[in-house]
Amino acid sequence: MREYLLMALVAAAVTFLLVPLVRRFAIRIGAMPEVRDRDVHTTPIPRLGGLAMYGGLVVGLLVARELDKTGFILSQDDTIIALILAGGLITLTGFLDDWWGMDPFIKLGGQIAAAGVLVFFDMRLTSIPLPDSWGGSTGLDYNLSTVITILIVVIAINAVNFVDGLDGLAAGIVGIAAMATWTYSIFLDQAIEQNRINTTAAITSILIGVCLGFLPHNFHPAKIFMGDTGAMLLGLVLASSLITVTPVDPSTIEGMNKFGTLLPLLLPVAVLVLPLTDLITAVIRRTSYGMSPFAPDRGHLHHRLLDIGHSQRRTVLIMYAWTALFAFGLVTMSVIGVAVLFFPVVILLALGVLVLMALPRWRGRGGAHAAPRGKHPGDDDDGPPTGPMPPIPPVDETTQQLRRVHPPQERNAVNAFPGSS
């Protein structure tokens, strides 16, 4: 357990210390685009925070290799080299996209290539765990295993990328997901081999450290964004931890019921439920309006929470709580041996909590109906102002001339900045 803590602390420290250097580098090369209509920040903020995350990941993996117990486990396969190479490829893809912009299909090609690197080094899903009454665990041949693994990795990468829209949101959600995955992997390995050292726990320990090291710089008000460079890297590493969770045979663990056996299948859904929900609803929303699934908009879950009156920090904390409830709820149900029929109950409970926390706050001090900044106490968010308005200052002759030369429509067209989600 001390080795896991050491890995997490090293990854956190390296990430934290690299962020200021990366921030200056991003400003120097101009990787801080103008504010777009769908953005919630009001001033340009540098991206490329994922470069610091990748540095924390690499150093954490190299330190893990030198530890006694964890190093022995990781030396049994090519986990370290696979994550360094695949992480480097996805980081390079995100870096080019954050700096220059990239066609969505080229970016998708980079994601598939990074997932292919994992498969090449045999980091893939080899079987689907099922209870004996359902036919038992089903092995996958190499081709099917390759396709399913790449699909899981690409979905995880894009799910995390889609949810990265508020200060500290993606790093916090992935960190919570990694904690739940770490807990389950420890329980599983302890039940099977009376051991607490395994590959999944090592990967998630480093991932937790990377997220914790980045959050102080990224929590509202953020000094730097992780960009696609970091969001895609977090998705890749989280997916790699999920596909390395040991499949369970119910006969090997006394008292293991269907729920515990199915958890390797349910856990990826649990830890990614919020990003996946956002991803699926975004695709449905955009295609229903005749838009490309990759077209940016302002209809994500965090945008809706902001629109009903929650602050950035409160919105982020709501989404943290929902992710933690769902992920740790499933892990706890598996550990205590709850029947699989209770899985829908957890889903409904999590949805209910999300709805309650997402409702506008009660009227009163600090509530959602308190006067927002820049508005008057009598103003209504959804209607015209009802309170006294300040006098409109006169427009000088110079401003009138500029308006005649540059009409408002022309100025908006010039200032428009295309971007990806």
Side-chain angles (χ1 to χ4, degrees), residues 216-236:
H217 300 282
N218 185 238
F219 203 74
H220 185 72
K223 302 178 183 67
I224 188 172
F225 292 152
M226 67 175 68
D228 284 3
T229 311
M232 295 199 297
L233 176 65
L234 292 184
L236 175 83

Side-chain angles (χ1 to χ4, degrees), residues 129-131 134 184 257-267 340:
L130 296 173
W134 294 8
Y184 175 67
N257 58 7
K258 292 180 181 179
F259 192 92
T261 307
L262 291 172
L263 196 58
L265 298 180
L266 301 177
L267 189 60
V340 72

Side-chain angles (χ1 to χ4, degrees), residues 286-304:
R286 293 167 183 176
T287 54
S288 65
Y289 285 103
M291 301 166 59
S292 167
F294 301 102
D297 63 7
R298 201 180 184 282
H300 292 286
L301 293 175
H302 52 268
H303 288 139
R304 297 182 182 183

Side-chain angles (χ1 to χ4, degrees), residues 181-220:
T181 307
W182 182 89
T183 303
Y184 175 67
S185 67
I186 294 294
F187 158 73
L188 195 62
D189 217 47
Q190 178 73 20
I192 295 176
E193 300 179 357
Q194 299 298 311
N195 181 32
R196 294 185 177 182
I197 305 295
N198 59 77
T199 300
T200 301
I203 296 174
T204 49
S205 296
I206 297 172
L207 181 57
I208 292 168
V210 167
C211 293
L212 291 178
F214 185 70
L215 272 174
H217 300 282
N218 185 238
F219 203 74
H220 185 72

Side-chain angles (χ1 to χ4, degrees), residues 302-321:
H302 52 268
H303 288 139
R304 297 182 182 183
L305 289 171
L306 289 172
D307 290 342
I308 63 177
H310 295 291
S311 65
Q312 276 208 51
R313 290 191 177 188
R314 188 180 180 89
T315 298
V316 169
L317 293 177
I318 288 173
M319 300 181 81
Y320 283 0

